[in-house]
Amino acid sequence: MEIAVLLYDGITALDAIGPYEVFAATMKCNVKFVAKQKGLIKLDSKMGGLYADYSFSEVNTADILIVPGCSPPNYKTPINDEETLNWIRKIHETTKWTTSVCTGSLILSAAGLLNGANATTHWASFNLLHSLGAIPTEERVVRHDKIVTAAGVSSGIDMALQLVSWEFGDDLGKGVQLILEYDPQPPFDAGSTKKAPAPLVEQIGGLLQEFSEREPNL
């Protein structure tokens, strides 16, 4: 299968690399990193980068499109960039699955692909997702027709494993999970707003809201 992963400055590395590792492990997929222009793409962490081997003009179709997310306020750049949105719309017409990770669903919404659709994103961006026309849903992976959205960052791995299962069967999905030794056993049970202490949710939510009110500086 042909997989296209959108890259843009300010992206969160794991949003792109998590699904990439899953699809690469199947040995049945050709994954392409695509950006407006080829070259090094800056990360939101400002540590290192990801390399886009293809430009928009070189990739016109894909079986699966992956739109990774980013830390606020970096999503403001792609959601206000008509060239990026037009490329997403164009690829979406050819896909079997159009997907997003974390705040990547905000970009899909800006492209007009999630109007009235159930979708998810990072929990701190639910209000923004709603304002862009989607119906925020508190699930880790949400399917609406051929569009599949994943919640924050690490959930992109879950989404990719689900897609592998749908496309190639549960056995390969389980095999990939085993290859990656994806068996999360975190030291804390605080990975969602339902589990984390309320003061911590308020603190992190306030911090992310403050960031979202800024302008991208990359």
Side-chain angles (χ1 to χ4, degrees):
M1 298 192 74
E2 293 290 327
I3 318 291
V5 182
L6 171 66
L7 298 184
Y8 53 88
D9 283 334
I11 199 169
T12 298
L14 187 59
D15 286 15
I17 295 300
Y20 163 80
E21 291 291 351
V22 171
F23 288 118
T26 67
M27 295 182 284
K28 295 178 178 289
C29 300
N30 180 32
V31 184
K32 298 178 179 178
F33 289 107
V34 190
K36 286 178 68 173
Q37 297 180 339
K38 296 179 185 180
L40 192 66
I41 303 299
K42 299 175 184 177
L43 302 177
D44 54 7
S45 64
K46 298 185 179 180
M47 295 186 292
L50 295 176
Y51 194 87
D53 296 296
Y54 298 87
S55 65
F56 286 170
S57 62
E58 294 176 300
V59 178
N60 300 308
T61 64
D63 295 306
I64 299 176
L65 170 64
I66 301 172
V67 179
C70 57
S71 300
N74 298 328
Y75 46 69
K76 292 181 180 180
T77 299
I79 69 175
N80 289 300
D81 184 76
E82 200 61 27
E83 184 177 353
T84 297
L85 299 181
N86 282 335
W87 182 80
I88 290 172
R89 296 180 188 114
K90 180 179 181 180
I91 298 298
H92 175 65
E93 292 177 358
T94 74
T95 61
K96 187 170 185 179
W97 303 104
T98 295
T99 76
S100 66
V101 181
C102 195
T103 52
S105 59
L106 303 179
I107 305 171
L108 289 185
S109 293
L113 303 186
L114 291 177
N115 291 334
N118 290 334
T120 192
T121 189
H122 189 280
W123 59 269
S125 295
F126 269 25
N127 288 339
L128 183 52
L129 181 65
H130 182 264
S131 73
L132 290 168
I135 302 172
T137 305
E138 291 187 358
E139 297 177 26
R140 194 159 170 85
V141 178
V142 177
R143 177 182 176 183
H144 178 84
D145 295 329
K146 73 169 187 175
I147 298 179
V148 184
T149 55
V153 192
S154 63
S155 60
I157 298 173
D158 299 55
M159 179 192 71
L161 285 169
Q162 181 63 79
L163 287 168
V164 168
S165 174
W166 287 339
E167 285 299 314
F168 305 115
D170 289 353
D171 286 346
L172 184 56
K174 293 174 183 177
V176 169
Q177 183 176 1
L178 182 57
I179 289 170
L180 300 180
E181 201 169 349
Y182 181 55
D183 185 25
Q185 299 176 34
F188 311 108
D189 191 17
S192 75
T193 56
K194 295 178 180 179
K195 298 178 179 180
L200 181 62
V201 174
E202 183 177 358
Q203 177 188 358
I204 298 300
L207 181 64
L208 294 175
Q209 178 60 37
E210 179 185 337
F211 288 158
S212 71
E213 294 170 358
R214 302 176 183 176
E215 291 302 317
N217 181 23
L218 296 166

